[in-house]
Amino acid sequence: MAGTGIQYPDHFITRLQAIWGRGFLSPGGPEEVKRIVQGLGLTGKALLDIGFGTGGPGAVLAGLGAQVTGTDIEAQLLPHAQATRAASPHADQITLILTKPGPLPFDDNSFDVVFSKDSLIHVPDKGAMFDEILRVLKPSGIFAASDWLMGAGDGPAQVMADFNARGYLDFRMATADQTKHLLTSCGFHDVTTLDRNAWYADLAAREVKKVEEDLYDDLAAIVGEEIMREWLSVRRHLAEAARLGGLCPTHLRAIKPASGL
Ligand SMILES: C[S@@+](CC[C@H](N)C(=O)[O-])C[C@H]1O[C@@H](n2cnc3c(N)ncnc32)[C@H](O)[C@@H]1O
């Protein structure tokens, strides 16, 4: 899919939601979203969700009381996210906006929280994105996200580099140290990361089994045998990259300085 401009065509959405649940294009479901924002107290907070996907994370965050503005860059995702929004009892707290890659279309100091779930992996210039996140956060606002990072050290980094070189997906991955350095350099403080590799290594192996044993035939009937064969091979490769420490879904937290500091 890399190179076509569209990363998430409908047949990919169908496959990802089959393993991760309706509304989710990343692993962990509502529980993982809640872990990312644990302790923040979102009631009434203005929250930006970068990369709304098919809308599941935004609906969870609205359920926690946030006023959610979601952005995404792929137009074919919007009807899926709108359907998730319509099914939510908190639909009136969710606004979905299609954007272009690059500067965020919001005024300075607009949000109490900027959230993102496994979307920044697709952003080539992380420094420019972090500058924008800092700009749109209010003073003392919080960046709370998850992203797919690359393991540190020659072995894990090489495993992930080998996966990415196959060109299955347009992944632009950084290590946790690189990410911390970028966030700190652009002005955030109290930058922390939480490596979720152990959790996802186990889950990714179970996802492969689920595709092999439970989902393969039904999905092949919808998306075709050729797509399924290729995808199963990618999923095995991804699970192996997680097992070897190359793929590290990681929670990120950082705080914008208070005004005047
Ligand atoms: C792995 S999916 C995750 C979607 C959703 N956050 C979730 O967890 O279910 C990555 C998402 O990031 C979006 N995306 C990629 N680059 C983006 C950008 N520059 N701004 C906003 N969204 C972006 C993709 O279109 C896709 O919906």
Side-chain angles (χ1 to χ4, degrees):
M1 265 158 290
T4 63
I6 291 182
Q7 297 273 324
Y8 294 88
D10 272 346
H11 61 79
F12 194 30
I13 293 171
T14 300
R15 286 173 279 143
L16 292 180
Q17 291 193 143
I19 52 172
W20 289 330
R22 181 164 289 280
F24 293 92
L25 301 183
S26 68
E31 293 315 312
E32 189 64 2
V33 172
K34 288 177 190 168
R35 264 186 216 104
I36 295 165
V37 295
Q38 199 160 23
L40 292 188
L42 295 182
T43 305
K45 296 279 171 69
L47 179 149
L48 172 63
D49 172 20
I50 300 175
F52 57 63
T54 51
V60 173
L61 296 162
L64 295 174
Q67 294 290 335
V68 178
T69 301
T71 64
D72 208 291
I73 58 170
E74 297 206 5
Q76 79 287 354
L77 292 165
L78 188 59
H80 295 275
Q82 282 168 333
T84 304
R85 176 185 179 278
S88 162
H90 310 283
D92 60 339
Q93 291 164 233
I94 303 170
T95 304
L96 302 167
I97 303 175
L98 276 178
T99 56
K100 294 196 184 325
L104 298 170
F106 305 105
D107 292 339
D108 297 358
N109 308 324
S110 294
F111 297 98
D112 299 293
V113 176
V114 174
F115 172 93
S116 184
K117 176 85 165 65
D118 304 340
S119 299
L120 302 180
I121 185 173
H122 296 301
V123 174
D125 188 343
K126 315 274 182 217
M129 177 56 98
F130 293 152
D131 282 341
E132 278 295 283
I133 292 170
L134 187 78
R135 182 183 68 73
V136 302
L137 274 171
K138 296 177 186 175
S140 305
I142 294 176
F143 173 50
S146 164
D147 198 19
W148 280 20
L149 303 186
M150 192 158 67
D154 291 346
Q158 193 56 50
V159 165
M160 206 60 237
D162 289 346
F163 178 90
N164 287 330
R166 301 277 291 269
Y168 301 125
L169 295 156
D170 193 9
F171 283 172
R172 315 295 182 99
M173 299 174 81
T175 65
D177 278 353
Q178 288 165 343
T179 303
K180 266 182 164 165
H181 176 73
L182 277 175
L183 283 164
T184 307
S185 309
C186 73
F188 282 99
H189 66 78
D190 287 9
V191 177
T192 57
T193 60
L194 175 70
D195 185 350
R196 299 282 288 146
N197 168 266
W199 161 71
Y200 192 57
D202 177 60
L203 180 58
R206 285 187 280 123
E207 287 167 1
V208 169
K209 258 190 171 340
K210 184 172 170 179
V211 175
E212 287 170 340
E213 294 174 7
D214 302 337
L215 299 174
Y216 192 95
D217 291 341
D218 287 350
L219 284 174
I222 301 169
V223 307
E225 182 75 27
E226 197 182 326
I227 284 180
M228 280 307 290
R229 247 199 322 270
E230 165 73 1
W231 188 51
L232 188 51
S233 138
V234 173
R235 297 242 42 109
R236 287 183 180 132
H237 203 166
L238 201 65
E240 186 63 359
R243 191 182 71 79
L244 296 172
L247 170 60
C248 301
T250 300
H251 295 187
L252 311 172
R253 279 276 178 108
I255 302 177
K256 177 171 175 169
S259 170
L261 290 182

